[in-house]
Amino acid sequence: MAKQENGRLPTYLSDKELEQFLLSIAPGQYHIRNRCILMLMSLAGLRVVEVYNLNLSDLIRDEDEPGIEVLGKGNKTRYIPLPIPLYQLLLEYEKMYRGVPKPDHANAFFLSKRGTRISRRRIQEITEETFERLTQQPGFHYLKQKKLSSHKLRHTFGTGMVREGIDLVTIQQLMGHTNLNTTQIYTHVNNEQKKRAMKNKDVSRFFH
């Protein structure tokens, strides 16, 4: 559950920061796998444990309306529609980069180099390594001051949904929050939009 630390607002990446973050993924054999993992958290709102739990059988293979069944907290399953480019990237990983699983891990979506289900710690490490690469980029050194983690990618998803005007109940369903109060921490982003809206509102005709 997303929590405010000491009453502070959740840390999230701006669109520009997220774009540069995804460009900072290390090249090499596991680039596509790691890209899928980080995009599922930042563009579909998955928790680390949900990425870890993901199976091949969880992918809804519909070209027009692709999605995934996610096993979340409390063993609750939820349906998440996927953006088509992300679905296509997952298929590309599965067909070309997934590797050969060990028999007990045949259904695991994301595999380690040993052919076993990728560990939760490794998912966190991939995120940390990519954040580290991001903070080395010119113009992004200031991000070293933020406590960036896998969960911040989920915050980024929730924040982005609110900014796009998606209603809180839909965001709650997408993120698997049991309590709407948890989802409401993402409404902080609307404060600036509220200020702009009121600043631009012409009320002069009511003050004669």
Side-chain angles (χ1 to χ4, degrees):
M1 182 164 65
K3 293 177 183 172
Q4 287 169 282
E5 299 166 19
N6 303 323
R8 286 178 296 177
L9 298 172
T11 303
Y12 65 95
L13 299 182
S14 68
D15 287 350
K16 182 183 176 186
E17 289 165 349
L18 179 58
E19 188 177 345
Q20 194 61 40
F21 171 77
L22 294 170
L23 288 172
S24 301
I25 300 168
Q29 183 180 355
Y30 298 103
H31 178 82
I32 297 296
R33 182 198 67 181
N34 296 351
R35 189 171 176 80
C36 288
I37 287 171
L38 296 175
M39 283 186 161
L40 281 171
M41 291 190 283
S42 60
L43 302 181
L46 270 68
R47 301 176 174 97
V48 168
V49 68
E50 292 167 348
V51 175
Y52 163 78
N53 283 329
L54 198 65
N55 290 320
L56 294 177
S57 55
D58 295 332
L59 195 60
I60 298 164
R61 300 165 190 274
D62 182 326
E63 286 186 16
D64 297 320
E65 295 183 349
I68 47 173
E69 293 288 343
V70 173
L71 180 62
K73 284 188 173 181
N75 280 333
K76 290 180 181 173
T77 303
R78 72 183 185 280
Y79 158 67
I80 301 179
L82 288 177
I84 287 174
L86 178 50
Y87 171 66
Q88 290 170 339
L89 188 70
L90 291 170
L91 289 182
E92 181 185 350
Y93 160 73
E94 180 192 0
K95 289 173 185 172
M96 300 178 67
Y97 299 99
R98 182 168 168 265
V100 180
K102 294 209 167 157
D104 289 350
H105 300 263
N107 199 22
F109 200 89
F110 293 113
L111 298 176
S112 70
K113 60 184 178 185
R114 297 182 301 278
T116 57
R117 185 183 294 273
I118 195 169
S119 71
R120 281 173 280 194
R121 182 64 198 128
R122 184 66 194 126
I123 293 167
Q124 292 169 331
E125 286 171 355
I126 290 163
T127 311
E128 289 160 11
E129 289 161 9
T130 308
F131 273 131
E132 181 60 30
R133 288 172 63 87
L134 172 62
T135 61
Q136 305 302 319
Q137 306 290 328
F140 292 90
H141 302 314
Y142 65 92
L143 287 172
K144 282 181 180 286
Q145 311 306 318
K146 292 190 179 186
K147 289 184 178 177
L148 298 170
S149 64
S150 302
H151 208 69
K152 300 306 185 288
L153 296 179
R154 189 166 143 83
H155 284 327
T156 298
F157 171 76
T159 300
M161 288 278 105
V162 170
R163 293 178 91 164
E164 288 169 30
I166 309 302
D167 68 275
L168 284 184
V169 174
T170 300
I171 300 170
Q172 178 191 14
Q173 298 284 325
L174 285 168
M175 299 190 75
H177 290 153
T178 51
N179 193 320
L180 192 61
N181 288 341
T182 309
T183 316
Q184 284 178 325
I185 66 165
Y186 297 112
T187 60
H188 71 279
V189 296
N190 270 0
N191 289 342
E192 285 306 314
Q193 291 166 296
K194 286 181 200 170
K195 287 176 191 172
R196 281 199 302 274
M198 293 304 285
K199 203 176 206 177
N200 296 332
K201 184 175 173 60
D202 182 7
V203 296
S204 58
R205 66 186 182 281
F206 301 116
F207 293 84
H208 296 302

